[in-house]
Amino acid sequence: MKQARIPAFAGMTIGFGMTMAFSAAAKEVALDVGHYAAEPGVIAASGVPEFEFNLALASEVKAELETHGVKVRLIGERGDYAVLHHRTRDARGADLFVSIHHDSVQEHLLPQAGRFAGFSLFISRHNPKLGKSLACASAIGAKLRGAGFTPSRYHADPVLGESRPFADEANGVHYYDNLAVARTAAMASVLLEAGVVVNREEEQRMREPAVRRRIAVAVAGGVRECLAKELQ
Ligand SMILES: [Zn+2]
């Protein structure tokens, strides 16, 4: 464990004898709430916009990370980030950028949306910290699988998805090189599609507080695991 010196700020007193843990605790995560009020993303089977699912899950991940001493900078929680690269710009200084989304399928497949379920993770080969992006995405995917969730896989399919090649097939991680929040980030960056909310059954699961909690604990666990390693 590294010892860090606590900087002295004017007007701030830190009591002697106070112990603080510095390991993952010194790390900061930018947690991005996907989409914004004017364009709230996918419309779920019940009509609820994706932004609401993203906000609920991101808030839960934030709480879970903070419980473990990780700093969190929430991005876009007020629904006012219309320009994608402003999200990564305002994340500067963080150790990891995690964008929270919920998934759909191609429009012509919407009548069959019940066939599609599960999570997906995306990273970009244009991100300057590719190794760390992959390690974090794999760690999140592995924790989600450990919590009983399954990767959706269909994004890699040339017909059903968009032929996004796997970076880590077992853990549901794909390359999506032009993904703005991964390409424009100065730090490692991962985008999570937590579940397919155009699927009515999956949407119901995603709305359950206990399920959201399990996802949040898994995501935070994967983030903490990869931040504890020093990767480029
Ligand atoms: Zn989205």
Side-chain angles (χ1 to χ4, degrees):
M1 187 191 291
K2 278 181 197 160
Q3 289 295 325
R5 197 171 285 278
I6 299 165
F9 295 104
M12 179 180 168
T13 313
I14 296 169
F16 289 107
M18 189 176 170
T19 54
M20 296 180 80
F22 286 93
S23 55
K27 305 286 173 124
E28 184 177 10
V29 176
L31 207 49
D32 174 47
V33 181
H35 306 281
Y36 56 101
E39 290 187 22
V42 170
I43 303 302
S46 71
V48 174
E50 181 193 342
F51 180 82
E52 289 186 26
F53 289 89
N54 299 343
L55 181 58
L57 179 56
S59 303
E60 191 100 19
V61 174
K62 177 180 188 282
E64 180 64 18
L65 284 170
E66 287 177 344
T67 297
H68 289 91
V70 180
K71 277 179 74 182
V72 176
R73 197 184 308 178
L74 213 47
I75 307 249
E77 78 277 17
R78 290 179 300 275
D80 56 354
Y81 271 75
V83 182
L84 282 171
H85 71 261
H86 288 175
R87 295 172 185 260
T88 48
R89 179 198 66 189
D90 292 352
R92 280 195 176 270
D95 298 283
L96 176 67
F97 186 95
V98 180
S99 189
I100 303 289
H101 286 255
H102 289 73
D103 213 356
S104 183
V105 295
Q106 296 186 64
E107 202 168 347
H108 72 277
L109 293 169
L110 281 173
Q112 309 170 49
R115 289 172 56 197
F116 300 89
F119 70 86
S120 298
L121 290 148
F122 298 93
I123 59 172
S124 169
R125 279 172 288 210
H126 299 320
N127 179 280
K129 303 279 170 84
L130 175 58
K132 187 171 175 179
S133 298
L134 176 56
C136 290
S138 292
I140 293 168
K143 291 282 187 197
L144 283 167
R145 288 171 60 217
F149 298 97
T150 308
S152 73
R153 306 183 56 86
Y154 78 89
H155 287 283
D157 190 285
V159 179
L160 301 176
E162 310 93 2
S163 299
R164 306 258 180 242
F166 281 114
D168 175 357
E169 184 167 357
N171 291 315
V173 184
H174 304 72
Y175 289 120
Y176 184 170
D177 294 332
N178 285 324
L179 185 66
V181 290
R183 185 171 50 83
T184 64
M187 69 295 295
S189 179
V190 175
L191 184 143
L192 168 69
E193 298 279 6
V196 182
V197 290
V198 290
N199 172 339
R200 193 168 294 276
E201 268 183 37
E202 177 120 304
E203 185 198 353
Q204 289 309 314
R205 277 196 295 278
M206 294 289 120
R207 292 162 78 96
E208 282 176 32
V211 172
R212 186 185 305 130
R213 171 106 196 107
R214 270 167 51 218
I215 296 172
V217 169
V219 171
V223 165
R224 287 166 52 223
E225 188 177 292
C226 86
L227 286 183
K229 298 173 187 164
E230 282 305 322
L231 296 156
Q232 284 307 304

